Amino acid sequence: MSWTTVLGVVVAILVFWGIGAYNRLMRLRNAIGDAYVLLDQHLNERAELCSALLAKLRPLLASEQATFDSLDSAQAEARTAAQAARLKPYAGDPVAALAVSSAVHAAALTRLMSLLEHQPDLREREGIDPMVDELKLVERQRAFARQVFNMAVTQYNEAARQFPTRILASLYGFAEARSL
C-alpha cells in the first residue's frame, strides 16, 4: 500500500466523520426547535387562558387592578420573548429573555392564584373553578414541555462540546444553546 492510498483513506475517513458529525449537530439542533414548538403551544394556551380569566375577573374584583395589570404586563412581555425565541430557539439571547419573562409571568400568575384561593365563593359562583383547573393543567403540560426542551438543549450542547466534534462545531457556528 502506498502512502497516497493511506492518505486517501485517512482523508475519506475524516470527510465521512465530518459529514456525520455535522448531520448529528443539525439533527440535535432541529430537535431543540421541535421541542420548542410543543413548549410554544403551551405558552400560547396559557396566555389565552390567562386573558379569559382576567376578562372574567376584572369586573368582579375591581380592587385588584394592580394584580391584573401586573399579569397583563408580564403576559405581554412573555409573548414578545416567545415570539423572538420562536425564530431561533437554539440561540442564547432570545431564550434567556424568555426565561426571565416566564419567571416574571409565573410570579404574577402565582399572585393571581393566591388571590383566587382566598375567594372560594367567587370561584364557584362565577364558574371560575373550571378555568383555574384548566390553567393548572396547562401549567403542568408547559412544565413537562420545558423539561423536554431542556433535555434537547442538553443533548445538543453535550454533542457540540465533545472532542473532536467541538472543532467542527466552532468552524460551522454551532453555538451553545440555552435552556429554560
Side-chain angles (χ1 to χ4, degrees):
M1 215 191 258
S2 70
W3 66 272
T4 56
T5 306
V6 172
L7 183 63
V9 168
V10 169
V11 168
I13 289 171
L14 288 175
V15 167
F16 285 116
W17 166 82
I19 291 170
Y22 180 85
N23 287 339
R24 179 171 183 239
L25 289 172
M26 285 301 293
R27 181 177 43 79
L28 290 170
R29 190 165 80 177
N30 289 339
I32 292 172
D34 294 343
Y36 185 79
V37 168
L38 179 64
L39 177 62
D40 193 41
Q41 175 187 352
H42 295 302
L43 291 172
N44 288 332
E45 288 177 34
R46 178 178 70 174
E48 290 172 12
L49 283 169
C50 284
S51 294
L53 188 59
L54 286 176
K56 196 160 198 168
L57 289 173
R58 276 189 198 278
L60 301 173
L61 297 170
S63 63
E64 298 297 334
Q65 288 304 317
T67 301
F68 301 148
D69 293 342
S70 169
L71 186 56
D72 271 340
S73 173
Q75 192 163 301
E77 187 179 316
R79 277 188 175 148
T80 302
Q83 187 175 15
R86 194 175 299 131
L87 298 174
K88 285 190 175 183
Y90 48 84
D93 292 340
V95 174
L98 179 60
V100 170
S101 67
S102 288
V104 170
H105 189 271
L109 190 56
T110 299
R111 283 193 300 276
L112 178 66
M113 291 300 177
S114 175
L115 172 72
L116 290 174
E117 287 297 321
H118 299 296
Q119 307 276 344
D121 56 321
L122 173 76
R123 289 186 359 227
E124 290 173 11
R125 187 182 67 229
E126 298 298 329
I128 292 172
D129 269 344
M131 293 174 79
V132 169
D133 291 342
E134 190 175 353
L135 187 57
K136 287 178 180 178
L137 174 65
V138 167
E139 276 297 297
R140 286 191 299 273
Q141 291 170 338
R142 185 197 58 80
F144 178 74
R146 181 179 175 206
Q147 285 179 324
V148 170
F149 176 82
N150 287 341
M151 285 179 9
V153 167
T154 299
Q155 288 175 344
Y156 166 80
N157 285 339
E158 286 175 356
R161 287 185 198 127
Q162 292 175 350
F163 182 81
T165 306
R166 174 182 237 163
I167 297 166
L168 185 73
S170 64
L171 284 173
Y172 287 106
F174 287 96
E176 186 168 337
R178 173 114 200 290
S179 57
L180 288 171

